[in-house]
Amino acid sequence: MNSSPQQLIEGFKRFRERSLLGNDAQFQTLVELGQTPSTLVVACCDSRVDPALILDCAPGDLFVIRNVANLVPPSENQGNYHGTSAALEFGVRNLGVQHVIVLGHAQCGGIHALLEGGVPKGESFIAEWMGIAEAARKKIELEYTHADSKLRHRACEQQAILVSLANLMTFSWVRERVEQNRLTLHGWYFDIEKGELLGYNHASGSFEIL
Ligand SMILES: [Zn+2]
């Protein structure tokens, strides 16, 4: 794979030639005026699902939050560290993005841990974090009792996106903007096996090819 530190430094040098020194007007504008992305994406840490790459975006296009299984936690006021909520707040309140996309994907390791993990909460950061999607797990275990594991995982990956969309609405500054039509929430699913991008259709209640 192309990711040893030395290979990454060589990559930076190519990027520098192309974008920083190559009179890239768009990049220079971003440096001088700051970022104004219109879309925030919540994506998974998985190395295969980089939103900027798979959506063919340039620097400045997307405000990206990445965490295990692209989850949005519910709004909480406890004095803990909330990296995802803080980044969400910055994107929505400070940058004023108009769209939030929760971007799930096939073969998600976080969802696999949720369904098959067996590690008790309190003994793993991942198990604790994946508790956000517990409602998705319960629904899938009930509705997909006899389905094979691949189908259950896929259904849970998509159901967890819906949990995150619901959790987004627990943030008052998200809910207000959605109700005022200043912000739109989207649930997308990148099927890395079929090479397709699906979007949740609220009318049909299913994920459909975009
Ligand atoms: Zn994942």
Side-chain angles (χ1 to χ4, degrees):
M1 290 292 116
N2 191 30
S3 62
S4 75
Q6 193 51 47
Q7 285 170 315
L8 296 177
I9 292 165
E10 293 302 321
F12 174 72
K13 287 177 181 170
R14 290 192 297 276
F15 168 75
R16 184 168 179 265
E17 284 291 321
R18 196 168 58 238
S19 295
L20 304 183
L21 303 176
N23 293 321
D24 183 329
Q26 194 177 359
F27 202 90
Q28 290 307 321
T29 304
L30 282 170
V31 173
E32 287 163 20
L33 302 181
Q35 60 169 336
T36 54
S38 60
T39 297
L40 182 157
V41 178
V42 182
C44 184
C45 297
D46 192 304
S47 61
R48 302 166 296 179
V49 298
D50 183 336
L53 277 177
I54 66 173
L55 302 174
D56 197 18
C57 288
D61 288 348
L62 297 176
F63 188 77
V64 177
I65 303 170
R66 297 184 75 168
N67 62 41
V68 171
N70 45 269
L71 297 177
V72 176
S75 177
E76 291 176 331
N77 290 318
Q78 298 153 1
N80 297 323
Y81 300 109
H82 293 296
T84 292
S85 303
L88 181 67
E89 178 181 341
F90 188 79
V92 171
R93 300 181 83 183
N94 296 63
L95 296 177
V97 296
Q98 291 133 48
H99 300 274
V100 173
I101 298 169
V102 177
L103 178 62
H105 71 100
Q107 298 183 0
C108 184
I111 295 296
H112 184 274
L114 176 69
L115 290 175
E116 320 285 347
V119 180
K121 276 187 171 187
E123 293 181 23
S124 156
F125 288 113
I126 297 171
E128 192 75 28
W129 172 252
M130 289 308 301
I132 294 168
E134 179 62 14
R137 188 191 68 77
K138 281 186 178 157
K139 185 175 168 67
I140 297 313
E141 294 294 353
L142 275 175
E143 295 181 5
Y144 287 76
T145 317
H146 302 297
D148 66 26
S149 120
K150 193 164 189 146
L151 197 61
R152 279 192 309 119
H153 284 219
R154 185 183 177 87
C156 195
E157 285 154 359
Q158 296 185 348
Q159 191 61 38
I161 294 171
L162 303 187
V163 170
S164 287
L165 290 177
N167 284 345
L168 276 167
M169 292 294 275
T170 65
F171 293 85
S172 60
W173 26 266
V174 168
R175 192 178 61 250
E176 281 166 18
R177 285 166 173 77
V178 169
E179 288 170 354
Q180 294 164 359
N181 291 321
R182 294 159 59 202
L183 180 65
T184 308
L185 309 183
H186 310 262
W188 287 6
Y189 181 79
F190 174 38
D191 188 335
I192 61 176
E193 294 170 345
K194 294 181 183 166
E196 291 172 344
L197 184 66
L198 291 81
Y200 182 69
N201 182 327
H202 288 270
S204 69
S206 60
F207 281 82
E208 299 169 357
I209 293 176
L210 295 171

